[in-house]
């Protein structure tokens, strides 16, 4: 009941936000209609006034038209701002609606990472359902930048193994989870850039080796001032009848040729920055939000400080990126009618190219650091949103002893809270294995994934689905879904052997592993399977490993008598009462007593008896 009341509070929060922003959206729509009406009236008023004053001198008519056009342009700009605010409110409402769906385990509105992240060779990503539709990543992911998404993927695939770093991250997640306004504004602002595929951090690198510098060329630096100066002289001379129109026409051809001398160099520069103006503008706004915010946690303060340093104290990262966006935007317009005219008059393209190159020389060395910091904030916002949406989750304690893991009431984050059966786990030291026996469908595999997922969350700095949890941040490695490969000509059994050899090799290399295995050597006969499983467990204990192994083979439970300090038996039972099969999904002490395969086959009419 307490868990449901906490979740209901989060639902109420999002519903309240939806109502508040929906009211604002209705007002904005009304204002937009009014502004549209005013613009139409201004056009009609200008036409009517000019008609009524048609007998006046041309300068008078020009002034009248100019006044109306100034008001019209003002309302055009105002309309654009209202439209941008409308889009913001709509995106905000959509976010809250999607979060409400996520509270009911519908994560379809959020990105689950591409399927290629489901790497069968990775230590645990496939087994723990990290990526893809209805995945753990999708339940957590609220990133809006490509670098944030990449960083979140890497954090899932390579969790932290330093206890102090995990505790520092927990402090950042705790802080940002309570910053609702900052997180939501960050997300809604960044949605516009979330579809950008270009690697912004390597913005200029594509053409660096293939183009010459324009800004370092003396001729171009002279021409950008000489060409407009001559135009001013010609126009002034023409006004005073000192220069003929034909002379201006000749100079028009000359200026066209001069403006296009650096065209190839400009095109190479343009290719390296093409289609990034809007994304850079959005990134600038995101950086500005971070720069304006004060943070208490060390990790968030550290990332915030990366947006400025002593060398660039006068120009913050957001301002520098905004300047870059504007220069790229100007270069984007070079083939428009106005862009062509401005290029002829004062070599606008060359000026913008020089500005871009000067920006590159001054700031390109800082770009990776800036965007890494932006990606880190994006990742922390995802963690913070997850923590806010799960107020019943707890932040785990970090043990300094290898290996120690103790948890009470662990549940799987992807199983509905109303149906999730929660269990405990206790691994007191290294050289220690829990042997889990039990019937089919009794809950062994779910238990393994529950422990693995909460262990992973603990090592990312996120809260976990448990009443309490203490872990040592070893490297998790699993073997739950080993598959054969037709492409590599590998059998199921050989693929599993490779997996087990990988574990042994990493232990021999001195790695501290937390191992989770489900049904060792599934791909061979029962005799080999039994002998091999016992030999493997003995070898793992000898190498100081620890973890959990689930099996149907009850004989493995006898290892506890041989290794009483290193092996402990747990079981999931299938209870048969009144010819009905029931599952409690609760872990118990000892070795499983009931197996259900024969019982189920008989219930389905499959039996060897006549």
């Amino acid at each position: 009941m307490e868990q449901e009341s906490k979740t209901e509070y989060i639902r109420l929060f999002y519903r309240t936000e939806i109502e508040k922003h929906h009211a604002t959206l209705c007002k904005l729509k009304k204002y937009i209609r009014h502004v549209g009406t005013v613009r139409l009236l201004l056009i009609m008023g200008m036409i009517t006034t000019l008609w009524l004053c048609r007998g006046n001198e041309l300068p008078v008519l020009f002034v009248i038209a100019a006044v109306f056009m100034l008001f019209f342009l003002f309302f055009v700009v105002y309309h654009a701002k209202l439209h941008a605010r409308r889009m913001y409110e709509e995106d905000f409402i959509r976010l809250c609606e999607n979060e409400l769906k996520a509270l009911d385990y519908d994560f379809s509105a959020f990105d689950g990472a591409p399927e290629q992240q489901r790497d069968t060779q990775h230590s645990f990503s496939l087994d723990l359902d990290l990526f893809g539709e209805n995945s753990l990543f999708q339940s957590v992911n609220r990133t809006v930048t490509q670098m944030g998404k990449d960083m979140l993927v890497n954090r899932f695939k390579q969790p932290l193994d330093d206890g102090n770093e995990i505790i520092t991250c927990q402090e950042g997640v705790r802080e940002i989870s309570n910053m609702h306004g900052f997180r939501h504004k960050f997300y809604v602002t960044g949605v516009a850039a979330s579809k950008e595929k270009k690697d912004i951090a390597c913005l200029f690198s594509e053409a660096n080796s293939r183009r010459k510098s324009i800004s370092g060329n003396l001729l171009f630096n002279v021409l950008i001032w000489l060409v407009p100066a001559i135009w001013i002289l010609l126009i002034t001379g023409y006004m005073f009848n000192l220069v003929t129109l034909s002379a201006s026409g000749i100079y028009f051809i000359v200026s066209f040729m001069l403006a296009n001398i650096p065209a190839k160099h400009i095109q190479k520069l343009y290719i390296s920055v093409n289609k990034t103006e809007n994304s850079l503008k959005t990134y600038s706004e995101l950086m500005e939000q971070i720069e304006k915010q004060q943070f208490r946690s060390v990790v968030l303060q550290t990332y915030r400080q990366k947006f400025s340093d002593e060398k660039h104290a006068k120009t913050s990262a957001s301002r520098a990126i905004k300047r870059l966006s504007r220069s790229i935007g100007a270069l984007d317009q070079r083939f428009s009618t106005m862009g062509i005219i401005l290029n002829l008059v004062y070599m606008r393209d060359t000026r913008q190219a020089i500005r871009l190159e000067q920006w590159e020389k001054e700031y390109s060395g800082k770009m990776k650091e800036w965007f890494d910091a932006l990606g880190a904030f994006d990742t922390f916002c995802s963690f913070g949103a997850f923590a806010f949406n799960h107020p019943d989750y707890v932040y785990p304690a970090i043990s300094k002893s290898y290996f120690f893991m103790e948890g009470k009431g662990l549940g799987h984050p992807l199983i509905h809270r109303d149906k999730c059966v929660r269990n405990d786990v206790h691994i007191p030291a290294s050289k220690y294995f829990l042997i889990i026996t039990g019937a089919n469908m009794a809950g062994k595999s779910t238990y393994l994934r529950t422990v693995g997922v909460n262990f992973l969350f603990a090592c990312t700095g996120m809260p976990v689905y448990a009443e309490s949890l203490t872990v040592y941040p070893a490297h998790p490695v699993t073997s739950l879904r080993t598959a054969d490969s037709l492409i590599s000509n590998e059998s199921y059994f050989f693929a599993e052997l490779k997996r087990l050899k990988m574990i042994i090799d990493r232990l021999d290399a001195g790695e501290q592993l937390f191992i989770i295995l489900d049904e060792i050597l599934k791909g061979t006969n029962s005799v080999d399977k039994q002998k091999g499983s016992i030999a493997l467990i003995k070898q793992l204990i000898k190498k100081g490993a620890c973890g959990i192994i689930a099996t149907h083979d009850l004989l493995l439970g006898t290892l506890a008598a041989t290794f009483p300090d290193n092996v402990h038996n747990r079981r999931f039972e299938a209870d048969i009462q009144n010819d009905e099969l029931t599952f409690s999904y609760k872990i118990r002490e000892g070795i499983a007593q009931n197996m259900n395969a024969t019982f189920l086959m008989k219930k389905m009419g499959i039996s060897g008896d006549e």
Side-chain angles (χ1 to χ4, degrees):
M1 290 299 294
E2 182 181 355
Q3 177 183 356
E4 185 60 34
S5 63
K6 289 180 178 179
T7 304
E8 191 56 39
Y9 168 79
I10 303 301
R11 286 196 180 95
L12 179 61
F13 171 83
Y14 285 122
R15 289 178 186 134
T16 303
E17 289 293 301
I18 290 173
E19 291 176 3
K20 182 172 67 176
H21 286 272
H22 184 72
T24 303
L25 179 61
C26 289
K27 291 180 181 179
L28 285 172
K29 289 180 177 179
K30 183 172 68 174
Y31 293 157
I32 289 172
R33 288 196 299 270
H34 292 339
V35 170
T37 302
V38 171
R39 288 165 58 188
L40 178 61
L41 292 175
L42 283 171
I43 294 296
M44 294 175 63
M46 182 180 69
I47 295 174
T48 302
T49 304
L50 290 175
W51 172 258
L52 294 174
C53 300
R54 63 186 181 278
N56 289 279
E57 297 292 329
L58 186 61
V60 175
L61 298 177
F62 178 79
V63 170
I64 293 173
V67 170
F68 273 97
M69 287 305 300
L70 284 174
F71 279 104
F72 180 80
L73 290 174
F74 169 80
F75 282 102
V76 167
V77 174
Y78 185 52
H79 182 273
K81 290 182 178 180
L82 289 176
H83 183 70
R85 287 179 58 191
R86 173 184 173 175
M87 291 181 62
Y88 178 90
E89 296 297 328
E90 289 174 342
D91 287 339
F92 197 107
I93 293 170
R94 192 176 298 112
L95 169 63
C96 292
E97 291 173 342
N98 291 335
E99 292 291 10
L100 283 173
K101 293 178 182 178
L103 290 176
D104 291 322
Y105 301 89
D106 178 1
F107 313 115
S108 57
F110 303 106
D111 189 359
E115 284 295 319
Q116 53 262 38
Q117 294 296 345
R118 294 170 60 87
D119 182 7
T120 58
Q121 303 303 312
H122 187 261
S123 298
F124 53 85
S125 67
L126 181 64
D127 291 336
L128 298 185
D129 302 303
L130 291 195
F131 305 109
E133 292 300 314
N134 300 312
S135 63
L136 290 165
F137 183 87
Q138 191 175 36
S139 72
V140 175
N141 182 29
R142 301 295 184 272
T143 58
V144 291
T145 66
Q146 187 61 44
M147 60 284 298
K149 179 181 174 181
D150 292 342
M151 192 170 292
L152 185 60
V153 167
N154 290 335
R155 178 62 64 88
F156 268 72
K157 296 177 74 172
Q158 299 175 4
L160 303 174
D161 57 7
D162 184 287
N164 293 327
E165 191 175 355
I166 292 173
I167 292 171
T168 301
C169 285
Q170 287 180 354
E171 294 172 354
V173 175
R174 274 194 182 98
E175 180 178 9
I176 209 163
S177 66
N178 293 317
M179 301 171 65
H180 320 307
F182 172 78
R183 282 190 293 102
H184 294 159
K185 185 177 181 181
F186 189 94
Y187 180 91
V188 176
T189 302
V191 164
S194 62
K195 297 180 181 179
E196 178 58 51
K197 302 300 181 185
K198 193 178 183 72
D199 187 357
I200 299 294
C202 303
L203 195 61
F204 294 99
S205 62
E206 297 176 19
N208 275 350
S209 60
R210 303 193 300 275
R211 60 179 169 83
K212 297 179 180 179
S213 172
I214 296 178
S215 59
N217 190 302
L218 179 61
L219 173 63
F220 296 143
N221 281 278
V222 171
L223 287 177
I224 60 175
W225 297 106
L226 183 61
V227 169
I230 295 175
W231 270 117
I232 293 173
L233 291 174
L234 286 174
I235 293 172
T236 304
Y238 180 76
M239 291 176 63
F240 290 97
N241 294 320
L242 300 175
V243 176
T244 63
L245 187 61
S246 59
S248 299
I250 293 172
Y251 185 66
F252 178 89
I253 297 173
V254 173
S255 63
F256 178 83
M257 296 172 62
L258 292 174
N260 283 281
I261 290 176
K264 290 184 178 180
H265 302 307
I266 293 173
Q267 180 62 19
K268 288 182 179 180
L269 176 62
Y270 174 72
I271 291 173
S272 68
V273 298
N274 185 28
K275 297 181 180 179
T276 58
E277 177 195 0
N278 292 331
S279 292
L280 287 171
K281 182 182 177 182
T282 302
Y283 293 149
S284 171
E285 293 172 358
L286 294 176
M287 291 177 182
E288 186 177 9
Q289 291 176 23
I290 297 169
E291 290 165 355
K292 290 180 178 179
Q293 193 69 46
Q294 297 298 319
F295 300 98
R296 298 188 308 275
S297 59
V298 174
V299 64
L300 297 183
Q301 286 180 2
T302 301
Y303 282 121
R304 181 184 178 278
Q305 290 170 358
K306 294 184 182 295
F307 293 122
S308 61
D309 59 15
E310 294 180 359
K311 182 180 178 181
H312 301 97
K314 294 182 179 179
T315 304
S316 65
S318 62
R319 292 178 181 176
I321 297 298
K322 187 176 291 185
R323 278 174 47 195
L324 176 62
S325 174
R326 288 173 178 172
S327 295
I328 293 173
L331 207 57
D332 280 342
Q333 301 299 319
R334 71 189 194 282
F335 291 129
S336 66
T337 302
M338 184 58 67
I340 293 172
I341 294 173
L342 291 176
N343 194 37
L344 292 174
V345 172
Y346 80 122
M347 297 191 70
R348 182 172 181 257
D349 294 354
T350 306
R351 286 176 180 271
Q352 297 304 329
I354 290 174
R355 287 175 183 171
L356 281 172
E357 289 185 347
Q358 290 174 341
W359 191 100
E360 179 186 1
K361 290 177 182 178
E362 187 173 2
Y363 295 110
S364 61
K366 297 288 294 180
M367 287 188 72
K368 186 178 186 307
E369 184 177 7
W370 287 343
F371 287 117
D372 282 349
L374 180 62
F377 267 100
D378 202 6
T379 301
F380 269 99
C381 283
S382 286
F383 288 159
F386 183 83
F388 176 76
N389 288 342
H390 299 86
D392 52 317
Y393 285 25
V394 299
Y395 289 90
I398 305 300
S399 173
K400 295 183 179 180
S401 300
Y402 177 72
F403 179 86
F404 184 83
M405 182 176 186
E406 183 172 35
K408 301 292 184 182
L410 271 67
H412 197 293
L414 297 183
I415 298 178
H416 197 287
R417 64 185 69 84
D418 296 337
K419 299 178 181 179
C420 184
V421 178
R422 299 164 68 168
N423 285 292
D424 300 343
V425 63
H426 180 62
I427 303 176
S430 59
K431 298 185 179 181
Y432 192 96
F433 277 89
L434 292 179
I435 303 297
I436 311 293
T437 53
N440 294 304
M441 305 183 295
K444 299 190 305 298
S445 297
T446 300
Y447 178 75
L448 297 184
R449 290 187 175 86
T450 297
V451 173
V453 166
N454 281 286
F455 182 86
L456 172 64
F457 278 14
C459 293
T460 61
M462 286 196 296
V464 297
Y465 192 8
E467 295 172 12
S468 66
L469 181 64
T470 302
V471 299
Y472 177 86
H475 296 162
V477 59
T478 64
S479 181
L480 310 180
R481 280 192 182 131
T482 308
D484 56 0
S485 174
L486 294 176
I487 296 176
S488 303
N489 195 28
E490 289 182 354
S491 69
Y492 185 98
F493 179 64
F494 185 67
E496 187 176 10
L497 284 180
K498 283 178 61 178
R499 189 80 170 181
L500 296 176
K501 184 179 185 302
M502 176 268 289
I503 293 173
I504 298 298
D505 290 343
R506 290 173 66 176
L507 289 171
D508 288 340
E511 262 194 89
Q512 296 177 326
L513 302 180
F514 175 48
I515 301 167
I516 302 177
L517 306 178
D518 190 6
E519 205 62 54
I520 306 170
L521 303 176
K522 295 183 284 290
T524 188
N525 65 73
S526 58
V527 177
D528 272 349
K529 175 178 179 296
Q530 194 173 84
K531 290 181 179 179
S533 298
I534 292 174
L536 176 66
I537 294 172
K538 289 180 178 179
Q539 187 177 13
L540 292 176
I541 292 173
K542 184 178 178 180
K543 292 181 180 297
C546 58
I548 309 175
I549 298 174
T551 180
H552 288 99
D553 193 342
L554 303 184
L555 187 63
L556 296 188
T558 62
L559 286 171
T562 309
F563 302 98
D565 296 328
N566 308 109
V567 175
H568 198 87
N569 289 311
R570 291 284 194 274
R571 61 193 169 103
F572 284 92
E573 289 289 8
D575 299 316
I576 303 174
Q577 294 180 346
N578 300 323
D579 201 35
E580 291 294 334
L581 188 67
T582 61
F583 301 100
S584 68
Y585 304 112
K586 294 294 291 186
I587 197 166
R588 310 176 193 178
E589 291 278 350
I591 303 173
Q593 302 299 310
N594 298 322
M595 290 295 162
N596 62 2
T598 305
F599 174 83
L600 288 174
M601 289 175 68
K602 288 182 178 179
K603 293 284 283 186
M604 297 177 69
I606 305 172
S607 174
D609 298 333
E610 291 297 331

